[in-house]
Amino acid sequence: MYFSFSFQLRAPGKALLDAVCSHLNLVEGDYFGLEFQDHRKMMVWLDLLKPIIKQVRRPKTTVLKFVVKFFPPDHTQLQEELTRYLFALQVKQDLAQGKLTCNESSAALLISHIVQSEVGDFDETVDREHLSKNTYMPQQDALEEKIMEYHRNHFGQTPAESDFQLLEVARRLEMYGIRLHPAKDREGTKINLAVANTGILVFQGHTKINAFNWAKVRKLSFKRKRFLIKLRPDANSSYQDTLEFMMASRDFCKSFWKICVEYHAFFRLFEEPKPKPKPVLFSRGSSFRFSGRTQKQVLDYVKEGGHKKVQFERKHSKLCSIRSLSTPSSEQIEVPKQVKQSPKITLIQSSQPDEIQTLSPRKEEKLVTEVLIQHKSPSPNKVPLEKRAKEGAHLTIDGEDAAKDHIQQNMKNAHQPSTAGSLTGSPHLSELSINSQGGMTVLNSTLSPNLSPDGKPSSPLISPFLNEPICIRTDDEEDSRKKKFPTDKAYYIAKEVSTTECTYLKDLEVITVWFQNATSKDDSMPEQLKNLIFSNFDPLHKFHSSFLKEVDQRLVLWEGRSNSHMKSDNQKVGDVMLKNIQGMKQFTSNLQKHYEALIELEKAIKNSRKLDVLCRDFEQEKVCYLPLNMFFLRPLHRLMHYKQLMERLCKHYSPNHVDFRDTRAALAEISEMVAQLHGTMIKMENFQKLQELKKDVTGIDNLVIPGREFIRLGSLSKLSGKGLQQRMFFLFNDALLYTSRGLTSSNQFKIHGQLPLFNMTVEESDDEWGVPHCLTLRSQNQAIVVAASSQAEIEKWSEDIQMAIGLAEKSGGPVPELMASSPPDGKSPEEGPVDQESEDDLSASRSSLERQSPHRGNTTVHVCWHRNTSVSVIDFSFAVENQLSGNLLRKFKNSNGWQKLWVVFTNFCLFFYKSHQDSHPLASLPLLGYSLTIPSESENIHKDFVFKLHFKSHVYYFRAENEYTFERWMEVIRSATDCASRSRLLKHKESHLY
């Protein structure tokens, strides 16, 4: 298909690029550029500021390619699905041309996602014929079996999701987004230079041997054939102040220098650099500068909704490829006739699967741009993409290996968690896709009820999360999407098994995929420790992947989405649970070794600075949304969840129910496992908590010692000569520490003092000091007065301190010194502003330019400090049971519509995702100190199953999709909100697992 438009050849290059992006409805066109081969046979970028006629000297023979120019560090920063589709085309072409170098596993995985996108779910006959007629990379035949093996695991994956997973694998390859520029170093050794979002890279062949981050680079310049990098002075660096590289010619050198300037400006600057004033007499050096929006401006523009949202639908592009490849001529759209005298340029997008080609202008004065797309379609008369996709684009760059860690993770796909039955979230950030149909071929409109105005289903990538003012769903739209689901409470309990299992699998992948990948990159972790950790977690991941598929298959049958004649035989889940819980018993020895693995990991960290840095860096990764050692406890906690779910199911069933016997047997089996592993779990939880506190507190030499037990932490005010000063208190079974918030880069708490519990006394002293809710703590020769925020808080502290004193009296041994030195209780350091939860937090990724933080700010210690509250070991133990995952609709106080989010509740915190597939949360809402209520009539909510969370000026409304999930969310959130709610819940709890 051709399209054409006219403009002056004397117009700047930006006019042509803008015209192409406008025709494609491409909002994020700033990532792309126009590339062509000039008269010197060099591939150069069209300068956006210079007139086209001054750059394209031979318009009749010049081919302009519309290609990706800037590769962001994370493809999830690409907010538009059309942009992601064009990036996926880039990967396909580079792979086919042999530019994207990687190992066989990575290549096979990439091709498997391409095949899934083009032909749909795995079919061995179709796959073999399709691969025989389509070459996606050189020497493809040797990988055919491995490609089909991977393709088998992508069941139910939509084309849009396949493109996303393709980018997820590709972005981890070392050479993804890299263009190599031949050069020589000072010794004459042949090397390649490249530029990336992080800085200048040096390659030997396709192996990166050096990197110079932008932060280290002071100046870039070139003199004839010499490319110069001036570095900032660094006493610890062995590099010279100025690095020099020789390139083939001045033109090659200048071309590379220009792209370096553009990369630096695009990724490092907040706004487009202003032009320098022209010199009056003569100029020295090049006047080239970056033109266009920076990445931050693009992200802000899309986030603020400064564009009209255009629907874009992806379909399997070669669903009938076997037939269509044999008769390609019938697939091609006719080219409209052109006026004879029309000058023209055609943009080309290379071979697979779409083709855009560039012709050349015949006149100087006017330029007509035409784009031809050859696309193989299920129907000869219809191109299977929306208009936005029809006018595709060409992309280029190189890459190398790193997809090994995604092989297991892509075994699961498109998990739709419960009640709405829709794929509403975008797979931005999605590393884990789990198929809720568990292998059933029923991916139809029930999974994508996001209807466009014309009644056609919109792309599952349209996320209401990206931009609330643009993407909010109105109440009428949401009601129209509702689908009838079974009303039996047992169905919703089974659905809870599925949704929480989805989260549990992703937690396992933090260890089996992400942490394993991080440790495999160097030798900082001993092989024996690697075997101890990963040999215990890998079998668990494999087992629970199969378990989730089995549960989801049962739910599909229960919902009647397939095999409806068998519906009455599948309205149960106890048999599935019994079978799999019995299968879990084989892992009892694995689970018992988790404590040993946790201990050995901490020992190795203590003995190896390199491993310590690796683990700390890994904890800053977005995927590690909880402390790393918390994930070692997840398998034991999960057993408790199964027990709780089976208890609830047994209470629901009558003794004569067809599923009662299996459910009761499953409860007996899981109760036995929980009892058997109870002691291990208690020790692990205490050890994990002490290790976590050690990272939050500075000034302690030996916090983690045998026999020490954590009891309570929280914020209290300490009375001194300067009045009440806020302090953070930590109560153990042998000592009470108090700290203030430090000014370190990691926001650690600084020790101010300690009180041994042996012979300590506690006195109520409100009357004596005139301060409400206060206690006097006397220990040996020291006494302090502390005050709490409420009477309930001070009673909890008093009770726990009295209990701890009793434990210390019983032990009777000497108390080890906690601190290396006891600093005086001086002036409390200045505190930063209280953490705010706002709409911005939910609309921007943690990786965005303005939100890079070196410290996780939502740890329990920091939350208690800001919310002026406390939590005890009992609270932590009770919180283990209260974990939940699922879809919720969220509304801000002053907004009109509801956003659908995937929400995970754990560790006293709500974590928000655009969809269940996301590997990490976009934002979190710590709930300690919040109040949980039902909206009043005056708040004009007028919807069922709505609850309200509020803390000071922060107000959030959340809406569940049925009565069962509403009650469950209320139950678990109540356990983490204000102290009074937690107290009531603990008092009315029938029994506690500990």
Side-chain angles (χ1 to χ4, degrees), residues 627 692 696 749 855-864 907 926 928:
E692 184 181 341
D696 279 322
F749 286 83
H855 182 73
R856 192 196 314 280
N858 65 349
T859 62
T860 308
V861 176
H862 286 81
V863 175
C864 286
N907 207 39
L928 292 171

Side-chain angles (χ1 to χ4, degrees), residues 256-296:
F256 180 62
W257 171 80
K258 288 169 71 173
I259 188 61
C260 289
V261 170
E262 291 185 308
Y263 252 81
H264 176 270
F266 184 75
F267 287 107
R268 293 280 288 182
L269 301 185
F270 281 9
E271 58 185 24
E272 178 183 353
K274 295 179 181 179
K276 295 180 180 178
K278 292 185 178 180
V280 178
L281 297 177
F282 59 88
S283 63
R284 187 178 177 186
S286 174
S287 61
F288 174 78
R289 68 179 178 86
F290 171 74
S291 173
R293 294 181 298 186
T294 65
Q295 187 191 34
K296 183 182 185 302

Side-chain angles (χ1 to χ4, degrees), residues 147-304:
I147 293 169
M148 291 194 295
E149 179 186 343
Y150 291 151
H151 185 203
R152 195 190 312 268
N153 298 326
H154 304 330
F155 182 86
Q157 197 167 277
T158 66
E161 291 169 330
S162 298
D163 289 344
F164 181 85
Q165 295 295 343
L166 177 73
L167 294 179
E168 180 57 39
V169 175
R171 78 179 179 93
R172 298 175 175 278
L173 305 180
E174 187 171 66
M175 295 192 65
Y176 173 68
I178 299 299
R179 290 174 180 263
L180 297 178
H181 299 258
K184 293 181 180 180
D185 62 14
R186 288 192 175 186
E187 285 72 37
T189 305
K190 290 184 179 181
I191 56 168
N192 290 307
L193 296 179
V195 60
N197 61 283
T198 55
I200 311 293
L201 310 178
V202 183
F203 287 82
Q204 203 155 46
H206 287 81
T207 303
K208 185 170 70 175
I209 60 174
N210 217 333
F212 304 101
N213 292 337
W214 294 127
K216 297 179 181 178
V217 176
R218 183 165 62 89
K219 183 180 180 181
L220 295 174
S221 60
F222 69 97
K223 292 181 181 179
R224 299 186 181 277
K225 297 192 296 183
R226 292 183 298 156
F227 180 73
L228 305 173
I229 305 175
K230 284 193 176 182
L231 301 176
R232 300 185 187 280
D234 185 355
N236 300 321
S237 175
S238 60
Y239 298 127
Q240 304 170 28
D241 176 59
T242 302
L243 300 173
E244 183 178 307
F245 301 93
M246 296 292 293
M247 306 193 81
S249 68
R250 179 186 181 278
D251 291 337
F252 277 103
C253 194
K254 183 177 181 179
S255 176
F256 180 62
W257 171 80
K258 288 169 71 173
I259 188 61
C260 289
V261 170
E262 291 185 308
Y263 252 81
H264 176 270
F266 184 75
F267 287 107
R268 293 280 288 182
L269 301 185
F270 281 9
E271 58 185 24
E272 178 183 353
K274 295 179 181 179
K276 295 180 180 178
K278 292 185 178 180
V280 178
L281 297 177
F282 59 88
S283 63
R284 187 178 177 186
S286 174
S287 61
F288 174 78
R289 68 179 178 86
F290 171 74
S291 173
R293 294 181 298 186
T294 65
Q295 187 191 34
K296 183 182 185 302
Q297 289 176 313
V298 176
L299 293 172
D300 290 345
Y301 176 74
V302 177
K303 183 176 72 174
E304 292 164 5

Side-chain angles (χ1 to χ4, degrees), residues 383-394:
V383 177
L385 296 176
E386 288 286 273
K387 288 183 179 179
R388 260 179 107 189
K390 288 178 181 176
E391 296 82 313
H394 167 82

Side-chain angles (χ1 to χ4, degrees), residues 945-958:
F945 316 129
V946 176
F947 58 88
K948 172 184 174 183
L949 282 168
H950 56 98
F951 173 76
K952 296 183 178 178
S953 62
H954 301 285
V955 178
Y956 303 96
Y957 299 100
F958 292 94

Side-chain angles (χ1 to χ4, degrees), residues 810-821:
K810 287 180 182 178
S811 65
V815 179
E817 277 295 321
L818 283 175
M819 298 180 296
S821 61

Side-chain angles (χ1 to χ4, degrees), residues 102-110 143 146 150 401 403-404 407:
C102 55
N103 63 24
E104 291 185 354
S105 294
S106 299
L109 186 57
L110 289 168
L143 300 179
K146 187 170 285 190
Y150 291 151
D401 165 44
K404 198 173 183 180
I407 294 171

